[in-house]
């Protein structure tokens, strides 16, 4: 059993690591098609504190209390699972392996077992909640989300969390450990035989299951670069750190500066721009790399969608579906080398009611999506990974107004008042 477990585990791991390296390189290449950004790395100390507060303490997730609490245990389980999978590699060769210094420290052992238990228990109600909400009804915050990806991630969390307890139960019996060091897993030890050789084989087998399932998870997400429900576990740390407001606030104040080629400009600078310069965002490569990181990090949780007044009044705008559409476009352009100017962000659908990536169209979203936004900022306030939806919508509107002169007829009087009287009321 040991030789089989070693061969299978290492073979799958090699494949997973190679695919993950390739995926990360592809992801970084996608971010590099974006424009530079300014002001996103100042005050590194405050940014680091904000990142730790929002991730470790789950301050944004806890806006929805019970979901946030359950998700915290899943988050903690993922961290512990990483050390458990690393330990499993050593257990393939030595069944009773434990980490030096902390491996038999009772605090570490209790944390591992209780996080394994609560990680297993927490993912079940989250799974049930997702099933009950469904994704077919517009009223569901999961409408439009890629549900199989979420179910796959949740299944892996359950499997890996439970594996912690079952392998420790075998260890308890194998080393004749003290119950105080195995507070939960000792209760499961009755499932195993007393024979030492059998216990070793069980440990080898469970270690292999832990490794293979973790590597299968990496293989799947490496094959799906737009799988935000999985990739946000890695990208959210960076997305939060590089958020617009260095003091930790949300991007809900003044509009960010108008940019061209990633550089902030004022209207006085427009006459000095080159003919090829763009104002705002008209194609996917006009967005900054931070914007592309925003799209990449979207978890498809739908909190923004559930709070959006436009979506809730039957308008076409869903902040979540908008982020997903822009993400698909970014990775399509980066993957094919296609010139982004061949597919504009905004267009007009003639027939049907598809607002995002309509089949056969040379644009990503219908113009009604863009002009449905009230800029209330509910999406930004709700997002647990600090995506700045309103900034992106305003930048896309800037392009439509300043470059394309394409805007709803209702704005004609507003612009006329600004031009002639200096105020939108034409007074």
């Amino acid at each position: 059993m040991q030789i089989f477990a070693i061969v299978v585990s290492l073979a799958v791991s090699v494949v997973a690591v190679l695919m993950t390296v390739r995926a990360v390189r592809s992801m970084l290449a996608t971010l590099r098609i974006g424009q530079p950004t300014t002001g996103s790395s100042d005050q590194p100390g405050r940014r680091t504190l904000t990142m730790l507060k929002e991730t470790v303490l789950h301050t944004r997730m806890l806006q929805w209390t019970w979901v946030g609490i359950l998700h915290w245990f899943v988050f903690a389980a993922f961290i512990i699972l990483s050390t458990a999978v690393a330990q499993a590699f050593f257990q393939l060769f030595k069944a009773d392996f434990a980490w030096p210094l902390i491996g038999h420290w009772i605090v570490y052992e209790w944390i591992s077992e209780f996080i394994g238990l609560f990680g297993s228990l927490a993912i079940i109600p989250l799974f049930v909640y997702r099933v009950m909400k469904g994704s077919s009804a517009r009223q569901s915050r999961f409408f439009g989300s890629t549900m199989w990806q979420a179910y796959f991630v949740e299944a892996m969390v359950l499997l890996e969390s439970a594996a912690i307890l079952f392998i420790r139960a075998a260890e308890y019996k194998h080393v004749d450990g003290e119950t105080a060091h195995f507070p939960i897993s000792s209760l499961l030890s009755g499932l195993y035989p007393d024979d030492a050789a059998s216990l070793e084989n069980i440990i080898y087998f469970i270690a292999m299951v832990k490794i293979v399932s973790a590597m299968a998870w990496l293989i799947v997400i490496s094959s799906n670069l737009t799988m935000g429900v999985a990739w946000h576990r890695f990208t959210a740390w960076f997305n939060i750190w590089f958020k617009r407001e260095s003091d930790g606030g949300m991007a809900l104040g003044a509009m960010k500066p108008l940019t061209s080629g990633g550089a902030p400009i004022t209207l006085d600078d427009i006459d000095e721009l080159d003919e090829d310069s763009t104002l705002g965002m008209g194609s996917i490569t006009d967005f900054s790399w931070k914007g592309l990181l925003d799209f990449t990090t979207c978890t498809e949780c739908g909190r923004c969608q559930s709070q959006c007044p436009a979506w809730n009044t039957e308008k076409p705008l869903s902040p979540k579906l908008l982020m997903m559409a822009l993400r698909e476009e970014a990775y399509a352009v980066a993957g094919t080398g296609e010139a982004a100017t061949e597919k504009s962000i905004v267009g007009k659908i003639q027939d049907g009611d598809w607002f995002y990536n309509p089949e056969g169209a040379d644009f990503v979203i219908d113009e009604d999506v863009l002009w449905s936004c009230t800029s209330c900022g509910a999406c930004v306030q709700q997002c647990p990974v600090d995506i700045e939806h309103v900034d992106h919508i305003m930048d896309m509107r800037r392009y439509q107004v300043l470059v394309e002169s394409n805007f709803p007829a209702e704005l004609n009087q507003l612009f006329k008042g600004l031009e002639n009287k200096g105020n939108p009321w034409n007074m």
Side-chain angles (χ1 to χ4, degrees), residues 88 163 166-167 170 192 201-211:
F166 282 102
I167 198 168
Y192 301 130
N201 284 328
I202 289 171
I203 293 172
Y204 297 144
F205 176 77
I206 299 178
M208 179 185 68
V209 170
K210 287 165 64 177
I211 292 169

Side-chain angles (χ1 to χ4, degrees), residues 64 67 129 139-143 145 301-303 305-306 320:
W64 293 22
V67 173
Y129 177 75
Q139 294 75 23
S140 169
R141 68 184 177 101
F142 299 118
F143 178 85
S145 298
C301 67
R303 290 190 181 204
Q305 180 174 284
S306 71
K320 177 189 73 176

Side-chain angles (χ1 to χ4, degrees), residues 16-182:
V17 169
L18 291 175
M19 291 185 66
T20 303
V21 170
R22 186 182 67 177
V24 171
R25 293 181 64 181
S26 297
M27 193 169 287
L28 292 175
T30 301
L31 298 184
R32 281 195 289 268
I33 71 173
Q35 301 297 324
T37 186
T38 58
S40 61
S41 57
D42 57 329
Q43 302 189 49
R46 297 191 69 173
R47 289 181 177 276
T48 301
L49 288 175
T50 297
M51 178 192 68
L52 293 175
K53 181 184 72 173
E54 293 190 14
T55 52
V56 178
L57 299 182
H58 259 42
T59 52
R60 301 295 293 277
M61 282 295 300
L62 288 170
Q63 292 180 102
W64 293 22
T65 307
W66 76 266
V67 173
I69 292 172
L70 293 173
H71 190 276
W72 185 89
F73 283 108
V74 173
F75 158 80
F78 181 76
I79 303 298
I80 296 297
L81 288 176
S82 300
T83 64
V85 171
Q87 182 177 344
F89 281 100
F90 293 96
Q91 288 179 301
L92 291 174
F93 300 92
K94 189 173 186 294
D96 59 352
F97 173 83
W99 292 114
L101 301 180
I102 64 170
H104 296 297
W105 185 33
I106 195 168
V107 174
Y108 173 76
E109 292 175 317
W110 276 56
I111 290 175
S112 298
E113 295 211 1
F114 277 95
I115 291 298
L117 174 64
F118 287 117
S120 301
L121 296 179
I123 202 66
I124 295 173
L126 291 176
F127 178 86
V128 172
Y129 177 75
R130 187 179 291 270
V131 171
M132 291 177 62
K133 289 292 182 180
S135 63
S136 58
R138 183 186 172 102
Q139 294 75 23
S140 169
R141 68 184 177 101
F142 299 118
F143 178 85
S145 298
T146 313
M147 297 295 276
W148 76 262
Q149 296 178 351
Y151 290 140
F152 172 77
V153 170
E154 289 166 346
M156 288 296 102
V157 170
L158 178 59
L159 176 62
E160 292 282 357
S161 298
I164 291 178
L165 298 177
F166 282 102
I167 198 168
R168 280 188 57 80
E171 293 170 10
Y172 167 75
K173 209 159 191 180
H174 181 250
V175 301
D176 195 21
E178 298 178 16
T179 304
H181 288 263
F182 299 82

